[in-house]
Amino acid sequence: MIARDRNWLLIFAVCVVLAVLYPLFADGYQLTVIRDALIFGLFAASLDFFWGRTGILCFGHAAFFGIGGYIMALITLNDAIPFGSLLGIMGAVAGAAFVAAIIGYFLFFGGIRGSYFTIVTLAMGVICQQAAVSWSSVTGGDSGLIGIPPIEFDLGGMHVDLSQDLPSYIFVASIVAVVVLALWSISRGRWGTVLTAIQDNEVRAAALGHNAPLRLLVTFVLSAAIAGLAGALYVCMAGLVAPDLSGLLLSTEVIVWVAVGGRGTLLGPVLGAIAIQRAQQTISSFNPSLWPLLLGCVFVIIVFVLPDGILSIYARLKSLFKGRRRAQ
Amino acid sequence: MDFVVTTLLNALTLISILMLVGLGLAISFGLMNVTNLAHGEFVTVGAFAVYFVQSVGGSFWLGLAAAPIAGAVVGCILEFAIIRHLYSRPVSTVLATWGVSLILQQGLELTFGLGAKPVTPPIEGTFDLFFTVYPAYRLILIAIAMLTLLGVVLLISRTSFGLDIRTVIQNREMAEGVGINTRRTYAIAFTFGAAIAGLAGGLVAPLAIVLPQMGVNYLANAFFVVIVGGVGSIGGLVAGSVFVGGLTSILNYQISPSLAQAIVLLAAIVAVRLRPNGLFNGASR
């Protein structure tokens, strides 16, 4: 376990160093591309924190991303509200957490687990997208809301203005690094151990005195709050919000990112998100309708060939060589 | 009076379709515990079968005969190539079947092109029902759906294959012990469910907007039919369909369809919280 911790921290440190060095070699456009990919990476890490630790798949995680985005947009577009950016981020996190708390209460305390949970959250994503389309007086309907200002606030005498490429990249990259590190330390500590126990056998965990529904609920709410944060960051950087951001396709894409990167590793999903988005841009540039087809194939291939994600290739190779050495 | 009868008949149309789509899910999700997210695509394939047959000059009825066959073929291939390898891995099944659904949707779009496909109903005009006049085709649809459901009930309760299915559902190991080929039974049951969903797609094609992406709406609703109604009985299937279909039809008069859809799904979530084992099996928990 300690060796695995050291490996994880090593990979994390390498990623941080690469992220720090990247602006030296990249121009403004490349910075914004990686910045947006990192935001989706944060979103993927939020799903992995729940799915990877509890084994329960949430098929509507984009709902929280979209809720965060819409709350951020509505607050910052309203000139009457002071400190728009800071309040917007807080509102987005709180709003997503609140919705997750209600849904989670109904499901976890109602004894809903496994595939039932997956189906209900799938419907939750559909509901959010439908609501965003039909409640057009607030959400702007199909076309969404545009003109969302970049993040700008004063904190402790420091003026933060993220309208430029480099500051916004640094801001996003540090948030992603801090959140991923925090989620990792939560999930490797006692909290994560109890979640693993619940995943293995909920009845036994409950018999040992753990309040399983409450643990699952808190984990779910935390995961949704971070998804809301990612949504809020994204709409400020993109300058617009649309119903797609809470839709089924984004929900499925985030699942692919986690599955490709490796479920339960927190870092893998971030890397998976960045890698797949690069692939998506390349493929879509010569045929846009090919991407969903390839996405579908990736789902099937992962299930049969790489059930533990890309990072597992390393572990497999290692065990292969170890096996060889032992055989000699 | 007019209004009430029309609303009732509209509800009945939707309920019939939901029952047919939900039947396949009740078999795969409810009984075999396979979360098949490609089930909506069986409906799409059925609707496209009718469109295809009409577009090459065939009649609607020929298309309607092709629809369940098309659904069965796709279902059979899916079961053989993917689902049978994943019975013990529920989350993997979810991922793989969703991947298949994306592949099918995009495959249909690449084959038939963008945009909604026109399907003309076999009968125009209305039928005088004494209280009100109602489109004749919708009455035929309701009749075919009810007859199909009756046929399925008879198949499961009266034939030896139905007996096999019921045995496998009750206890898989025991069924194998008495010499039933459970793999084959699963494969046939799954294909059968896909065929019925294909038939539903063919029936609904003249009323709906035929698009490669049409399956998702049926998928979410059908899952709620099965969950709300309770797993494992025809009675639950009927109860769930009446709940989801009835509520949707009533709300559609008051508010926009997408908001109605959202409210129905919310109501279904609350119903699942209050009655985790389904409306129909309320007593046992």
Side-chain angles (χ1 to χ4, degrees):
Chain A
M1 194 66 194
I2 293 163
R4 274 187 60 205
D5 279 359
R6 209 167 52 207
N7 274 345
W8 194 93
L9 283 170
L10 197 68
I11 299 175
F12 180 77
V14 170
C15 291
V16 169
V17 169
L18 285 178
V20 170
L21 292 180
Y22 187 68
L24 299 177
F25 304 101
D27 60 26
Y29 171 71
Q30 287 167 327
L31 273 185
T32 58
V33 169
I34 287 292
R35 179 196 69 197
D36 293 351
L38 273 173
I39 295 175
F40 285 116
L42 180 67
F43 179 38
S46 81
L47 176 69
D48 188 37
F49 180 63
F50 179 71
W51 182 25
R53 278 288 128 200
T54 65
I56 303 172
L57 174 56
C58 173
F59 221 108
H61 224 57
F64 303 122
F65 189 83
I67 288 169
Y70 272 102
I71 291 177
M72 183 75 184
L74 291 172
I75 289 179
T76 48
L77 284 175
N78 189 338
D79 293 329
I81 299 175
F83 314 114
S85 296
L86 276 184
L87 270 182
I89 290 179
M90 283 190 256
V93 170
F98 179 69
V99 174
I102 294 177
I103 303 262
Y105 164 75
F106 271 98
L107 300 180
F108 292 126
F109 287 89
I112 308 279
R113 301 283 186 281
S115 40
Y116 270 50
F117 185 90
T118 304
I119 302 307
V120 174
T121 48
L122 191 151
M124 180 185 75
V126 176
I127 292 170
C128 279
Q129 192 174 10
Q130 301 275 31
V133 170
S134 56
W135 197 10
S136 52
S137 59
V138 174
T139 61
D142 266 321
S143 47
L145 301 167
I146 55 167
I148 296 155
I151 293 175
E152 190 180 358
F153 57 88
D154 289 292
L155 197 68
M158 195 175 64
H159 184 70
V160 178
D161 176 5
L162 301 185
S163 52
Q164 298 301 311
D165 295 335
L166 186 61
S168 66
Y169 168 79
I170 295 170
F171 184 76
V172 167
S174 10
I175 284 193
V176 174
V178 169
V179 171
V180 166
L181 196 61
L183 287 180
W184 178 74
S185 47
I186 294 174
S187 65
R188 68 178 276 282
R190 184 171 159 72
W191 187 268
T193 317
V194 174
L195 284 180
T196 310
I198 292 171
Q199 180 183 354
D200 286 347
N201 191 328
E202 191 178 329
V203 178
R204 276 188 209 164
L208 289 171
H210 297 300
N211 188 342
L214 189 68
R215 294 261 177 178
L216 292 174
L217 179 62
V218 173
T219 311
F220 187 56
V221 168
L222 197 56
S223 159
I226 291 162
L229 171 68
L233 290 177
Y234 179 76
V235 298
C236 292
M237 305 296 169
L240 57 91
V241 62
D244 295 0
L245 290 187
S246 59
L248 213 48
L249 196 61
L250 185 60
S251 285
T252 48
E253 285 186 37
V254 68
I255 292 169
V256 179
W257 300 335
V258 175
V260 167
R263 183 154 71 92
T265 60
L266 287 175
L267 210 50
V270 179
L271 301 176
I274 296 171
I276 293 186
Q277 284 176 79
R278 293 308 299 264
Q280 176 174 5
Q281 275 164 355
T282 317
I283 291 160
S284 298
S285 63
F286 59 86
N287 188 347
S289 69
L290 213 58
W291 176 245
L293 192 69
L294 277 171
L295 194 65
C297 296
V298 170
F299 266 109
V300 178
I301 291 168
I302 283 176
V303 163
F304 284 103
V305 184
L306 279 178
D308 299 319
I310 286 177
L311 287 185
S312 72
I313 294 177
Y314 169 72
R316 274 195 201 181
L317 285 177
K318 218 170 98 179
S319 68
L320 193 71
F321 284 120
K322 264 191 185 157
R324 287 254 173 86
R325 219 179 296 157
R326 219 168 275 156
Q328 278 170 358
Chain B
M1 197 63 209
D2 236 41
F3 171 76
V4 175
V5 175
T6 311
T7 310
L8 271 177
L9 285 170
N10 280 345
L12 205 55
T13 312
L14 188 59
I15 291 168
S16 322
I17 293 296
L18 283 179
M19 276 201 277
L20 292 186
V21 183
L23 184 73
L25 268 189
I27 293 173
S28 60
F29 181 62
L31 307 179
M32 293 152 63
N33 206 11
V34 169
T35 310
N36 174 23
L37 293 182
H39 191 74
E41 272 57 49
F42 299 149
V43 180
T44 315
V45 165
F48 268 83
V50 175
Y51 159 73
F52 179 72
V53 169
Q54 275 196 343
S55 71
V56 296
S59 77
F60 174 84
W61 299 113
L62 194 65
L64 193 62
I69 298 171
V73 169
V74 175
C76 188
I77 295 173
L78 179 62
E79 205 279 340
F80 188 78
I82 290 178
I83 288 175
R84 65 168 49 197
H85 308 291
L86 301 174
Y87 279 127
S88 54
R89 293 163 59 192
V91 172
S92 300
T93 314
V94 171
L95 291 182
T97 53
W98 185 259
V100 169
S101 109
L102 284 176
I103 294 170
L104 283 174
Q105 284 177 23
Q106 219 56 35
L108 284 172
E109 192 171 305
L110 287 173
T111 318
F112 292 102
L114 280 166
K117 303 285 171 275
V119 171
T120 45
I123 304 168
E124 300 285 351
T126 54
F127 194 80
D128 197 347
L129 271 174
F130 189 59
F131 294 115
T132 181
V133 287
Y134 200 69
Y137 175 70
R138 281 171 172 253
L139 292 173
I140 294 173
L141 184 158
I142 295 171
I144 294 179
M146 294 299 165
L147 282 176
T148 309
L149 200 70
L150 187 70
V152 172
V153 171
L154 287 176
L155 182 84
I156 290 178
S157 62
R158 301 283 153 146
T159 64
S160 64
F161 175 67
L163 186 65
D164 281 4
I165 289 189
R166 281 181 286 145
T167 317
V168 174
I169 289 160
Q170 285 204 344
N171 190 330
R172 192 177 170 181
E173 281 80 31
M174 197 65 87
E176 256 167 25
V178 297
I180 296 171
N181 187 340
T182 53
R183 282 207 141 197
R184 210 175 120 247
T185 313
Y186 269 7
I188 294 174
F190 187 88
T191 308
F192 182 68
I196 303 281
L199 177 69
L203 280 173
V204 86
L207 307 174
I209 303 162
V210 179
L211 277 176
Q213 289 79 17
M214 70 190 281
V216 171
N217 292 326
Y218 294 96
L219 180 74
N221 278 327
F223 265 115
F224 275 108
V225 163
V226 175
I227 294 178
V228 169
V231 162
S233 70
I234 298 286
L237 183 68
V238 174
S241 307
V242 170
F243 179 88
V244 176
L247 202 56
T248 309
S249 312
I250 293 166
L251 284 175
N252 267 343
Y253 272 96
Q254 323 290 338
I255 48 183
S256 76
S258 55
L259 196 61
Q261 166 100 25
I263 289 175
V264 170
L265 295 182
L266 274 180
I269 291 178
V270 176
V272 168
R273 169 68 180 92
L274 299 177
R275 283 254 155 114
N277 285 340
L279 293 174
F280 201 69
N281 321 352
S284 63
R285 207 203 145 176

